[in-house]
Amino acid sequence: MPRPRTVLLTGAAGGLGTLMRGLLPAYGYELRLLDVLPIPDEPAAITADLADKDALRAAVHGVDAVLHLAGISLEASFDKILRANIEGTYNLYEAARAEGVRRIVFASSNHAVGFTPRPMGTDPLIPVATPHRPDTFYGLSKAFGEDLAQFYWDKHGLETVSVRIGSCFAEPTSVRMLSVWMSPDDGARLFDAALTAERVGHTVVYGSSANTRLWWDLASARALGYEPRDDSEPYAEKLLAEQGELDPERPEHACLGGHFTTDPPIWPH
């Protein structure tokens, strides 16, 4: 696929969106920003809700691709998740289809498969083909988004890379995150690969750095051209001293989704 020039970045005021606003222009992208909240110092940013179909249609008009990061990123009531993450994602796909956008990169989540047991000992890495096992309404919305992406590829030829993001922060903050952390720089590398790889159809990938304690298989991400350069291991000694090793007898330590499976953080936080 020719390198997209103009990319609509939804959720541009959020934590991950803010990181990508700073990193992706270096790859040659002209970002068109959209968020439900105004973005300071970005007067050209579009302030719109995902429920506003006319605003979405205008936002995607003329762009080459969409990086869809918008929506609720923690647990919430089903009604809130339905409106923001399920109906909102559908509205975006419909707008993209109507405007002839060729590719969407969808921020899925490891919580779409959160009740999957995490690897222990010599267990194999978790494959992208593992069945959906959402751990929350939030995770359920991400499973829906992946299925929606597959449908729009099969029905309309709109390509998507669904990225099951782990945790993208400047550094990991928990022992669990040592296994699922994605550095901001690696996040930009992965999104760039997802935006530019040839003939992706609908491809699901895990989004993390090349962590020593990795739980999932990055093969499908690497097949896009993603070359992670970072590893959470330099942070391990400090975090393990503070928090100890994960205990497989504790439910929140036994599954991929961590404490989302037992006591998920509630939006807004």
Side-chain angles (χ1 to χ4, degrees):
M1 178 177 176
R3 176 172 292 277
R5 172 172 170 78
T6 304
V7 174
L8 175 66
L9 174 62
T10 73
L16 183 55
T18 298
L19 291 170
M20 293 307 112
R21 277 172 24 220
L23 291 168
L24 285 177
Y27 289 83
Y29 299 111
E30 178 181 329
L31 298 180
R32 184 181 297 177
L33 308 178
L34 182 146
D35 200 282
V36 69
L37 299 173
I39 303 175
D41 303 319
E42 294 285 358
I46 302 164
T47 302
D49 192 284
L50 293 175
D52 188 336
K53 296 179 182 180
D54 291 337
L56 285 180
R57 182 79 182 262
V60 301
H61 178 73
V63 304
D64 301 310
V66 178
L67 175 54
H68 182 40
L69 306 181
I72 292 173
S73 60
L74 300 172
E75 182 63 317
S77 69
F78 181 74
D79 287 344
K80 290 179 180 178
I81 292 289
L82 175 65
R83 183 175 184 274
N85 290 18
I86 295 177
E87 293 179 351
T89 300
Y90 163 75
N91 291 339
L92 176 70
Y93 268 80
E94 263 301 285
R97 179 200 62 77
E99 290 294 329
V101 176
R102 297 178 58 193
R103 182 168 300 181
I104 293 175
V105 177
F106 169 60
S108 185
S109 170
N110 68 99
H111 297 292
V113 291
F115 272 115
T116 303
R118 69 174 175 88
M120 299 184 194
T122 59
D123 291 347
L125 297 175
I126 298 171
V128 293
T130 194
H132 285 158
R133 295 184 68 175
D135 52 27
T136 44
F137 290 135
Y138 165 70
L140 182 66
S141 74
K142 296 305 183 179
F144 168 84
E146 291 183 11
D147 288 344
L148 185 76
Q150 184 66 56
F151 172 73
Y152 270 77
W153 164 242
D154 290 334
K155 183 75 172 180
H156 303 295
L158 199 170
E159 291 192 308
T160 296
V161 177
S162 293
V163 183
R164 290 180 182 162
I165 298 169
S167 300
C168 189
F169 299 101
E171 61 182 65
T173 59
S174 70
V175 172
R176 173 185 176 273
M177 207 180 293
L178 293 171
S179 298
V180 301
W181 178 67
M182 181 167 68
S183 72
D185 286 339
D186 277 343
R189 292 180 188 107
L190 178 51
F191 290 137
D192 176 57
L195 287 165
T196 58
E198 295 286 341
R199 297 182 293 278
V200 300
H202 175 228
T203 297
V204 180
V205 305
Y206 287 111
S208 73
S209 292
N211 302 315
T212 296
R213 299 164 190 261
L214 191 66
W215 286 345
W216 49 50
D217 189 351
L218 291 177
S220 62
R222 292 179 184 276
L224 298 177
Y226 173 51
E227 296 181 3
R229 299 179 187 174
D230 297 319
D231 184 348
S232 63
E233 200 61 18
Y235 304 97
E237 183 177 0
K238 177 176 181 291
L239 289 170
L240 287 166
E242 294 172 348
Q243 302 173 18
E245 292 280 2
L246 298 180
D247 180 357
E249 298 301 316
R250 295 175 58 179
E252 69 271 26
H253 290 177
C255 293
L256 177 60
H259 67 289
F260 272 63
T261 63
T262 56
D263 185 26
I266 304 300
W267 182 274
H269 57 97

